[in-house]
Amino acid sequence: MWLSAIIAIVPIIVFLLCLMAFKLSGLVAGAIATVVQIIVAAWPFGMPFASIAGAGLAGVLTALWPIAYIIVMAVWLYKLAVASGRFDVIRASISGISPDQRIQVLLISFCFGAFLEGAAGFGVPIAICAALLVQLGFAPIKAAMLCLVANVAAGAYGAIGIPVVVGAQVGEVPLADLTADMVLVLQALTLFVPFLLVMILDGWRGVRETWPILLATSVAYSAAQAAILIFLGPELADIVPGLLGMVVIFVVGRIWQPKRVYREDGGEAPAPVRQDFGDVVVAWSPFYILTGVIFVWSIPAFKALFAQDGALAGLVAAVPIPGITGVVVPAGATDPVATTWAFTPVNATGTAILLAVLITFWTTPQLRAPDLWRQLRVTVLDLWRPIVLIALVLMIANIANFSGGSASIANALTAVGLVFPLLAPVIGWFGVFVTGSVVNNNTLFAHLQTVTAQNIGVDPTLLVAANTAGGTVAKVVSPQSIAIAAGAVGLTGREGEILRASIVYSLGMLAFVCVWVFVLSLVIPGVA
C-alpha cells in the first residue's frame, strides 16, 4: 500500500521540482508531469491506454468547459471596464477610501474577493482582484500571491456554498452539522487572514499601524460568516461577509486613517480626486450586473429548470467519455463509473458572466462593437497559455484518479489509525492541489474521510470539514489557481515564481489546520 502511494505521488513531485527547483515554465513542467503520470498509470497501475486517453480527454474537456469559459468571460468583463475608462474611476474611488495599500489589499483581495468567490467562484476572484491590485500599483507577483492567500477565507464556500454542499452529500453527513464544524475548524484561520495579508506587505509594523481597521474588518467578516454558517447554511457565507467587510472598511476609513501611508514602491500616494457619487456607482456597475446575473443563475428555481425532469433539461448534454464511462470500475466497487462530461450552454456560470458582459457593453456608451471583440481577442491571447496549463493539470488529475493513484495515496494515509485526524486535512490539501477545486476534492475524498472516521471512532462530520479546510488552504498553491493568477497579472510562464512566493503560507496554514483538527478530534465525541 505504501509503495503504491509513493509511486502515485511521483508525478506531483516531478511537477513541483520542475517549477521550483529547475524553474521551468508552467507549460513545460505540466507537459513533463503529464508524461510521467501516463507512464505511472500504464505501468505500475496497469491502466489500459484507451482509459488513459479517455481520462486525459475528460481533463481537457473540463478545462475548456466550464473552467476556461468562466475565466475568459470574467477577464473579458474586467478588460471592458478598463477599456471604457470606468476603471480609472474605480481606482480613484478605492484610493479615495484610503491611499494606503495595506487597506486597499483588505478591500480588494479580502472583501471584494470573498464577494466574487461567493457569487462566481472558479478562479473569478483571483483573476479580477489580482488585475485590480496591479492597476493600483502592486507588483504582479505580490498581487497574485496576496489574492491567493486572501482566498483562504472564502474558498470553502465559493459559488453559493457548493463545496460544502457537495461535501455533505458525498460524505453522507448532515449539512447543518458540517457547516457548524466548518466554523470550528476554519474560523480561527479566517480571523487571522487579514492580519497575515498586512504582515506579508509590511510586517509587524504594518499590523501595529493598521490594527483598528484590521480588527474591525476581521471581526465583522468572521463573525458574520460564522453566524450565517450556523443559522442559515453555506450559500451566503461569502457574499454577505464580503459586502459587510467593504462597508466596515469604508466607514472606518472615513473616521480613521493610519498616520503613515504605505506604498509598495515607497513613492508618494496619489493625490485624492473628488468624484461624483453617481459616477462611482456607474463605474462599479459591471460588477453589480455580474452579481445580479449570477444570483439568478444560482437560485433553486432557475437550477430546477435544467434538472433531469426540468422544463429545459433538453439543453443539458451528458457526454460519455470513451475508455472511462461504463469501463473503469473503482476499487471495492462492483459497477463501472458513470462519469460523463456535462455540456451546459445555458445554465453554465460562464454564460451568466457572458450575459453580464453583454449588458455592460449595451449600457456603456463609451464602448463600440470593435472594442467588444478587440478585448475578447486580447483576453484569449493573454489566457491561452494558462488554459493549456490547466488542461495539463486536469489531465494529470483525471488519470491519477481513474487509475487508482489518488485513492492509493489517501488509503495509505488512512492506515495510521487514531493519528489520522492529524493527517485528514493533508488529503484535502492533496485533492485540491491536484484538481484545483474544493468541490472536486470533496467529491473524491469526503466519503473516504467518513468511512475512516467511523472505523477509528472519530466524528465523521469533523473529518469532512477537515477535508474541506485542507483543500481551501491548498488553493493558495493549486497549479490551476496559480495559472489563473499568472494570466491575470501578465506573468504567464513565471508560475514557479508565484508558487515559490506562496507555498510557505499554504503549508503554514495547513500545519495549523492539521494540529487544530487533531485537538478537536480528542474533545468532540466520535461514533460508537
Side-chain angles (χ1 to χ4, degrees), residues 34 37-38 47-63 321-324 390-400 402:
T34 302
Q37 180 63 72
I38 291 171
M47 189 178 189
F49 281 104
S51 293
I52 292 174
L57 174 63
V60 172
L61 292 175
T62 304
I321 306 297
I324 297 295
I390 291 170
L392 290 171
V393 170
L394 288 178
M395 286 176 65
I396 294 169
N398 278 0
I399 295 171
F402 288 117

Side-chain angles (χ1 to χ4, degrees), residues 288-322:
Y288 310 149
I289 295 168
L290 171 66
T291 304
V293 176
I294 288 180
F295 177 77
V296 172
W297 254 242
S298 66
I299 60 178
F302 183 84
K303 290 182 176 181
L305 294 173
F306 302 90
Q308 192 169 2
D309 55 350
L312 301 178
L315 297 177
V316 178
V319 182
I321 306 297

Side-chain angles (χ1 to χ4, degrees), residues 296-458:
V296 172
W297 254 242
S298 66
I299 60 178
F302 183 84
K303 290 182 176 181
L305 294 173
F306 302 90
Q308 192 169 2
D309 55 350
L312 301 178
L315 297 177
V316 178
V319 182
I321 306 297
I324 297 295
T325 306
V327 176
V328 174
V329 180
T334 56
D335 298 321
V337 297
T339 301
T340 57
W341 174 61
F343 181 64
T344 53
V346 177
N347 60 317
T349 302
T351 302
I353 304 174
L354 172 60
L355 182 56
V357 166
L358 295 177
I359 295 173
T360 297
F361 170 70
W362 291 327
T363 56
T364 307
Q366 297 91 334
L367 293 175
R368 298 289 183 267
D371 299 318
L372 183 70
W373 305 119
R374 185 184 307 112
Q375 294 307 317
L376 176 59
R377 178 176 175 273
V378 170
T379 299
V380 173
L381 289 175
D382 286 347
L383 293 178
W384 74 265
R385 289 181 182 84
I387 289 169
V388 172
L389 175 57
I390 291 170
L392 290 171
V393 170
L394 288 178
M395 286 176 65
I396 294 169
N398 278 0
I399 295 171
N401 294 339
F402 288 117
S403 69
S406 297
S408 295
I409 297 169
N411 287 334
L413 291 174
T414 64
V416 299
L418 291 175
V419 185
F420 178 73
L422 184 67
L423 301 178
V426 176
I427 294 178
W429 190 96
F430 166 76
V432 171
F433 183 86
V434 171
T435 67
S437 164
V438 184
V439 175
N440 291 344
N441 164 52
N442 276 344
T443 302
L444 285 172
F445 297 130
H447 184 67
L448 180 145
Q449 298 275 10
T450 295
V451 172
T452 306
Q454 292 168 342
N455 289 340
I456 64 176
V458 174

Side-chain angles (χ1 to χ4, degrees), residues 164-314:
V164 175
V165 173
V166 169
Q169 292 172 345
V170 176
E172 298 177 351
V173 297
L175 179 60
D177 292 349
L178 179 57
T179 54
D181 275 12
M182 288 302 302
V183 175
L184 286 176
V185 171
L186 205 51
Q187 221 55 39
L189 192 57
T190 298
L191 195 67
F192 176 66
V193 167
F195 295 87
L196 177 59
L197 294 173
V198 172
M199 278 192 285
I200 292 171
L201 272 178
D202 195 29
W204 284 107
R205 180 178 68 165
V207 173
R208 290 195 305 270
E209 292 178 351
T210 61
W211 71 265
I213 201 165
L214 262 178
L215 188 62
T217 305
S218 178
V219 170
Y221 181 97
S222 187
Q225 190 175 71
I228 289 169
L229 287 169
I230 292 171
F231 297 110
L232 297 177
E235 290 82 2
L236 298 175
D238 283 342
I239 292 177
V240 173
L243 283 172
L244 179 61
M246 286 189 278
V247 171
V248 167
I249 290 174
F250 176 78
V251 171
V252 175
R254 287 291 181 183
I255 59 177
W256 177 89
Q257 289 288 332
K259 293 180 180 178
R260 180 179 68 95
V261 175
Y262 173 82
R263 304 291 298 179
E264 259 230 294
D265 57 5
E268 291 292 324
V273 179
R274 290 186 61 84
Q275 294 176 300
D276 181 76
F277 179 75
D279 292 339
V280 174
V281 171
V282 169
W284 281 91
S285 62
F287 303 109
Y288 310 149
I289 295 168
L290 171 66
T291 304
V293 176
I294 288 180
F295 177 77
V296 172
W297 254 242
S298 66
I299 60 178
F302 183 84
K303 290 182 176 181
L305 294 173
F306 302 90
Q308 192 169 2
D309 55 350
L312 301 178

